[in-house]
PDB file of all heavy atoms in Angstrom:
ATOM      1  N   ARG A 202     -17.833  36.094  23.969  1.00 99.00           N
ATOM      2  CA  ARG A 202     -17.391  36.259  25.364  1.00 99.00           C
ATOM      3  C   ARG A 202     -16.419  35.145  25.704  1.00 99.00           C
ATOM      4  O   ARG A 202     -16.762  33.961  25.595  1.00 99.00           O
ATOM      5  CB  ARG A 202     -18.567  36.237  26.337  1.00 99.00           C
ATOM      6  CG  ARG A 202     -18.070  36.439  27.772  1.00 99.00           C
ATOM      7  CD  ARG A 202     -19.156  36.696  28.788  1.00 99.00           C
ATOM      8  NE  ARG A 202     -18.552  37.031  30.074  1.00 99.00           N
ATOM      9  CZ  ARG A 202     -19.057  37.864  30.953  1.00 99.00           C
ATOM     10  NH1 ARG A 202     -20.190  38.457  30.719  1.00 99.00           N
ATOM     11  NH2 ARG A 202     -18.441  38.112  32.104  1.00 99.00           N
ATOM     12  N   THR A 203     -15.231  35.521  26.153  1.00 99.00           N
ATOM     13  CA  THR A 203     -14.246  34.541  26.597  1.00 99.00           C
ATOM     14  C   THR A 203     -14.429  34.313  28.098  1.00 99.00           C
ATOM     15  O   THR A 203     -15.224  35.003  28.738  1.00 99.00           O
ATOM     16  CB  THR A 203     -12.811  35.068  26.329  1.00 99.00           C
ATOM     17  OG1 THR A 203     -12.632  36.287  27.070  1.00 99.00           O
ATOM     18  CG2 THR A 203     -12.575  35.319  24.850  1.00 99.00           C
ATOM     19  N   GLY A 204     -13.712  33.351  28.640  1.00 98.00           N
ATOM     20  CA  GLY A 204     -13.664  33.184  30.098  1.00 98.00           C
ATOM     21  C   GLY A 204     -14.743  32.291  30.688  1.00 98.00           C
ATOM     22  O   GLY A 204     -14.817  32.150  31.906  1.00 98.00           O
ATOM     23  N   GLY A 205     -15.580  31.712  29.855  1.00 98.00           N
ATOM     24  CA  GLY A 205     -16.513  30.683  30.322  1.00 98.00           C
ATOM     25  C   GLY A 205     -17.870  31.147  30.846  1.00 98.00           C
ATOM     26  O   GLY A 205     -18.789  30.340  30.956  1.00 98.00           O
ATOM     27  N   GLU A 206     -18.015  32.433  31.216  1.00 98.00           N
ATOM     28  CA  GLU A 206     -19.324  32.876  31.722  1.00 98.00           C
ATOM     29  C   GLU A 206     -20.274  33.100  30.551  1.00 98.00           C
ATOM     30  O   GLU A 206     -19.877  33.604  29.517  1.00 98.00           O
ATOM     31  CB  GLU A 206     -19.209  34.201  32.497  1.00 98.00           C
ATOM     32  CG  GLU A 206     -18.122  34.279  33.538  1.00 98.00           C
ATOM     33  CD  GLU A 206     -18.356  33.367  34.723  1.00 98.00           C
ATOM     34  OE1 GLU A 206     -19.410  32.687  34.764  1.00 98.00           O
ATOM     35  OE2 GLU A 206     -17.490  33.318  35.604  1.00 98.00           O
ATOM     36  N   LYS A 207     -21.541  32.730  30.784  1.00 98.00           N
ATOM     37  CA  LYS A 207     -22.519  32.899  29.698  1.00 98.00           C
ATOM     38  C   LYS A 207     -23.505  33.990  30.077  1.00 98.00           C
ATOM     39  O   LYS A 207     -24.648  33.732  30.412  1.00 98.00           O
ATOM     40  CB  LYS A 207     -23.215  31.565  29.418  1.00 98.00           C
ATOM     41  CG  LYS A 207     -22.229  30.539  28.862  1.00 98.00           C
ATOM     42  CD  LYS A 207     -22.848  29.212  28.596  1.00 98.00           C
ATOM     43  CE  LYS A 207     -21.821  28.232  28.066  1.00 98.00           C
ATOM     44  NZ  LYS A 207     -20.763  27.916  29.078  1.00 98.00           N
ATOM     45  N   ARG A 208     -23.011  35.206  30.075  1.00 98.00           N
ATOM     46  CA  ARG A 208     -23.886  36.346  30.366  1.00 98.00           C
ATOM     47  C   ARG A 208     -23.386  37.582  29.643  1.00 98.00           C
ATOM     48  O   ARG A 208     -22.266  37.621  29.143  1.00 98.00           O
ATOM     49  CB  ARG A 208     -23.983  36.586  31.879  1.00 98.00           C
ATOM     50  CG  ARG A 208     -22.652  36.776  32.566  1.00 98.00           C
ATOM     51  CD  ARG A 208     -22.829  37.075  34.055  1.00 98.00           C
ATOM     52  NE  ARG A 208     -21.551  37.059  34.754  1.00 98.00           N
ATOM     53  CZ  ARG A 208     -21.162  36.106  35.597  1.00 98.00           C
ATOM     54  NH1 ARG A 208     -21.944  35.085  35.866  1.00 98.00           N
ATOM     55  NH2 ARG A 208     -19.980  36.182  36.192  1.00 98.00           N
ATOM     56  N   LEU A 209     -24.269  38.599  29.633  1.00 98.00           N
ATOM     57  CA  LEU A 209     -24.001  39.820  28.878  1.00 98.00           C
ATOM     58  C   LEU A 209     -23.283  40.871  29.738  1.00 98.00           C
ATOM     59  O   LEU A 209     -22.588  41.741  29.205  1.00 98.00           O
ATOM     60  CB  LEU A 209     -25.357  40.359  28.375  1.00 98.00           C
ATOM     61  CG  LEU A 209     -25.418  41.197  27.120  1.00 98.00           C
ATOM     62  CD1 LEU A 209     -24.598  40.614  25.992  1.00 98.00           C
ATOM     63  CD2 LEU A 209     -26.882  41.350  26.689  1.00 98.00           C
ATOM     64  N   SER A 210     -23.468  40.790  31.065  1.00 98.00           N
ATOM     65  CA  SER A 210     -22.840  41.753  31.991  1.00 98.00           C
ATOM     66  C   SER A 210     -23.025  43.207  31.548  1.00 98.00           C
ATOM     67  O   SER A 210     -22.070  43.988  31.540  1.00 98.00           O
ATOM     68  CB  SER A 210     -21.354  41.430  32.200  1.00 98.00           C
ATOM     69  OG  SER A 210     -21.195  40.139  32.708  1.00 98.00           O
ATOM     70  N   ASN A 211     -24.246  43.535  31.141  1.00 98.00           N
ATOM     71  CA  ASN A 211     -24.608  44.939  30.858  1.00 98.00           C
ATOM     72  C   ASN A 211     -23.904  45.502  29.615  1.00 98.00           C
ATOM     73  O   ASN A 211     -23.658  46.693  29.521  1.00 98.00           O
ATOM     74  CB  ASN A 211     -24.285  45.791  32.113  1.00 98.00           C
ATOM     75  CG  ASN A 211     -25.071  47.073  32.196  1.00 98.00           C
ATOM     76  OD1 ASN A 211     -25.992  47.308  31.398  1.00 98.00           O
ATOM     77  ND2 ASN A 211     -24.721  47.929  33.140  1.00 98.00           N
ATOM     78  N   PHE A 212     -23.580  44.635  28.673  1.00 98.00           N
ATOM     79  CA  PHE A 212     -22.839  45.061  27.474  1.00 98.00           C
ATOM     80  C   PHE A 212     -23.793  45.221  26.293  1.00 98.00           C
ATOM     81  O   PHE A 212     -24.521  44.293  25.954  1.00 98.00           O
ATOM     82  CB  PHE A 212     -21.771  44.002  27.166  1.00 98.00           C
ATOM     83  CG  PHE A 212     -20.775  44.403  26.095  1.00 98.00           C
ATOM     84  CD1 PHE A 212     -20.253  45.680  26.038  1.00 98.00           C
ATOM     85  CD2 PHE A 212     -20.324  43.462  25.179  1.00 98.00           C
ATOM     86  CE1 PHE A 212     -19.307  46.024  25.074  1.00 98.00           C
ATOM     87  CE2 PHE A 212     -19.378  43.792  24.221  1.00 98.00           C
ATOM     88  CZ  PHE A 212     -18.869  45.076  24.161  1.00 98.00           C
ATOM     89  N   LEU A 213     -23.811  46.372  25.668  1.00 98.00           N
ATOM     90  CA  LEU A 213     -24.526  46.624  24.419  1.00 98.00           C
ATOM     91  C   LEU A 213     -25.919  45.987  24.381  1.00 98.00           C
ATOM     92  O   LEU A 213     -26.251  45.232  23.464  1.00 98.00           O
ATOM     93  CB  LEU A 213     -23.677  46.120  23.237  1.00 98.00           C
ATOM     94  CG  LEU A 213     -22.300  46.786  23.067  1.00 98.00           C
ATOM     95  CD1 LEU A 213     -21.492  46.075  21.995  1.00 98.00           C
ATOM     96  CD2 LEU A 213     -22.415  48.264  22.728  1.00 98.00           C
ATOM     97  N   ILE A 214     -26.718  46.317  25.384  1.00 98.00           N
ATOM     98  CA  ILE A 214     -28.036  45.695  25.534  1.00 98.00           C
ATOM     99  C   ILE A 214     -28.908  45.933  24.293  1.00 98.00           C
ATOM    100  O   ILE A 214     -29.509  45.009  23.752  1.00 98.00           O
ATOM    101  CB  ILE A 214     -28.728  46.265  26.791  1.00 98.00           C
ATOM    102  CG1 ILE A 214     -27.983  45.771  28.029  1.00 98.00           C
ATOM    103  CG2 ILE A 214     -30.192  45.851  26.852  1.00 98.00           C
ATOM    104  CD1 ILE A 214     -28.508  46.354  29.307  1.00 98.00           C
ATOM    105  N   TRP A 215     -28.959  47.169  23.841  1.00 98.00           N
ATOM    106  CA  TRP A 215     -29.794  47.512  22.677  1.00 98.00           C
ATOM    107  C   TRP A 215     -29.184  46.919  21.397  1.00 98.00           C
ATOM    108  O   TRP A 215     -29.857  46.290  20.585  1.00 98.00           O
ATOM    109  CB  TRP A 215     -29.889  49.047  22.575  1.00 98.00           C
ATOM    110  CG  TRP A 215     -30.648  49.556  21.396  1.00 98.00           C
ATOM    111  CD1 TRP A 215     -30.189  49.621  20.103  1.00 98.00           C
ATOM    112  CD2 TRP A 215     -31.987  50.041  21.359  1.00 98.00           C
ATOM    113  NE1 TRP A 215     -31.156  50.130  19.276  1.00 98.00           N
ATOM    114  CE2 TRP A 215     -32.275  50.403  20.027  1.00 98.00           C
ATOM    115  CE3 TRP A 215     -32.967  50.233  22.343  1.00 98.00           C
ATOM    116  CZ2 TRP A 215     -33.498  50.933  19.636  1.00 98.00           C
ATOM    117  CZ3 TRP A 215     -34.179  50.774  21.951  1.00 98.00           C
ATOM    118  CH2 TRP A 215     -34.439  51.109  20.607  1.00 98.00           C
ATOM    119  N   GLN A 216     -27.884  47.106  21.235  1.00 98.00           N
ATOM    120  CA  GLN A 216     -27.196  46.773  19.991  1.00 98.00           C
ATOM    121  C   GLN A 216     -27.061  45.269  19.764  1.00 98.00           C
ATOM    122  O   GLN A 216     -26.829  44.812  18.651  1.00 98.00           O
ATOM    123  CB  GLN A 216     -25.790  47.400  19.995  1.00 98.00           C
ATOM    124  CG  GLN A 216     -25.779  48.924  20.128  1.00 98.00           C
ATOM    125  CD  GLN A 216     -25.882  49.411  21.577  1.00 98.00           C
ATOM    126  OE1 GLN A 216     -26.229  48.662  22.501  1.00 98.00           O
ATOM    127  NE2 GLN A 216     -25.597  50.681  21.792  1.00 98.00           N
ATOM    128  N   ASN A 217     -27.174  44.471  20.844  1.00 98.00           N
ATOM    129  CA  ASN A 217     -27.050  43.019  20.738  1.00 98.00           C
ATOM    130  C   ASN A 217     -28.396  42.341  20.478  1.00 98.00           C
ATOM    131  O   ASN A 217     -28.486  41.115  20.529  1.00 98.00           O
ATOM    132  CB  ASN A 217     -26.455  42.429  22.026  1.00 98.00           C
ATOM    133  CG  ASN A 217     -24.936  42.327  21.969  1.00 98.00           C
ATOM    134  OD1 ASN A 217     -24.359  41.961  20.942  1.00 98.00           O
ATOM    135  ND2 ASN A 217     -24.291  42.647  23.070  1.00 98.00           N
ATOM    136  N   ALA A 218     -29.433  43.147  20.218  1.00 98.00           N
ATOM    137  CA  ALA A 218     -30.801  42.603  20.126  1.00 98.00           C
ATOM    138  C   ALA A 218     -30.884  41.394  19.201  1.00 98.00           C
ATOM    139  O   ALA A 218     -31.570  40.424  19.508  1.00 98.00           O
ATOM    140  CB  ALA A 218     -31.764  43.690  19.667  1.00 98.00           C
ATOM    141  N   TYR A 219     -30.175  41.394  18.075  1.00 98.00           N
ATOM    142  CA  TYR A 219     -30.236  40.269  17.149  1.00 98.00           C
ATOM    143  C   TYR A 219     -28.869  39.639  16.878  1.00 98.00           C
ATOM    144  O   TYR A 219     -28.658  38.975  15.854  1.00 98.00           O
ATOM    145  CB  TYR A 219     -30.944  40.659  15.840  1.00 98.00           C
ATOM    146  CG  TYR A 219     -32.326  40.041  15.794  1.00 98.00           C
ATOM    147  CD1 TYR A 219     -33.470  40.784  16.011  1.00 98.00           C
ATOM    148  CD2 TYR A 219     -32.460  38.665  15.589  1.00 98.00           C
ATOM    149  CE1 TYR A 219     -34.719  40.201  16.027  1.00 98.00           C
ATOM    150  CE2 TYR A 219     -33.698  38.074  15.599  1.00 98.00           C
ATOM    151  CZ  TYR A 219     -34.825  38.836  15.811  1.00 98.00           C
ATOM    152  OH  TYR A 219     -36.056  38.234  15.825  1.00 98.00           O
ATOM    153  N   ALA A 220     -27.954  39.840  17.827  1.00 98.00           N
ATOM    154  CA  ALA A 220     -26.602  39.273  17.652  1.00 98.00           C
ATOM    155  C   ALA A 220     -26.619  37.764  17.852  1.00 98.00           C
ATOM    156  O   ALA A 220     -27.449  37.232  18.580  1.00 98.00           O
ATOM    157  CB  ALA A 220     -25.652  39.910  18.645  1.00 98.00           C
ATOM    158  N   GLU A 221     -25.675  37.097  17.213  1.00 98.00           N
ATOM    159  CA  GLU A 221     -25.413  35.687  17.495  1.00 98.00           C
ATOM    160  C   GLU A 221     -24.393  35.665  18.632  1.00 98.00           C
ATOM    161  O   GLU A 221     -23.430  36.435  18.611  1.00 98.00           O
ATOM    162  CB  GLU A 221     -24.814  34.993  16.249  1.00 98.00           C
ATOM    163  CG  GLU A 221     -25.739  34.959  15.064  1.00 98.00           C
ATOM    164  CD  GLU A 221     -26.985  34.097  15.306  1.00 98.00           C
ATOM    165  OE1 GLU A 221     -26.884  33.106  16.056  1.00 98.00           O
ATOM    166  OE2 GLU A 221     -28.047  34.438  14.758  1.00 98.00           O
ATOM    167  N   PHE A 222     -24.599  34.797  19.626  1.00 98.00           N
ATOM    168  CA  PHE A 222     -23.697  34.760  20.785  1.00 98.00           C
ATOM    169  C   PHE A 222     -22.728  33.583  20.668  1.00 98.00           C
ATOM    170  O   PHE A 222     -23.127  32.464  20.315  1.00 98.00           O
ATOM    171  CB  PHE A 222     -24.500  34.619  22.080  1.00 98.00           C
ATOM    172  CG  PHE A 222     -25.212  35.891  22.508  1.00 98.00           C
ATOM    173  CD1 PHE A 222     -25.400  36.958  21.628  1.00 98.00           C
ATOM    174  CD2 PHE A 222     -25.684  36.029  23.804  1.00 98.00           C
ATOM    175  CE1 PHE A 222     -26.034  38.124  22.021  1.00 98.00           C
ATOM    176  CE2 PHE A 222     -26.330  37.200  24.214  1.00 98.00           C
ATOM    177  CZ  PHE A 222     -26.502  38.241  23.325  1.00 98.00           C
TER     178      PHE A 222
END
Side-chain angles (χ1 to χ4, degrees):
R202 181 169 187 147
T203 61
E206 311 292 358
K207 294 179 181 65
R208 55 177 171 252
L209 207 45
S210 301
N211 203 8
F212 190 41
L213 299 172
I214 291 175
W215 177 283
Q216 300 84 345
N217 269 319
Y219 253 105
E221 296 294 329
F222 286 16

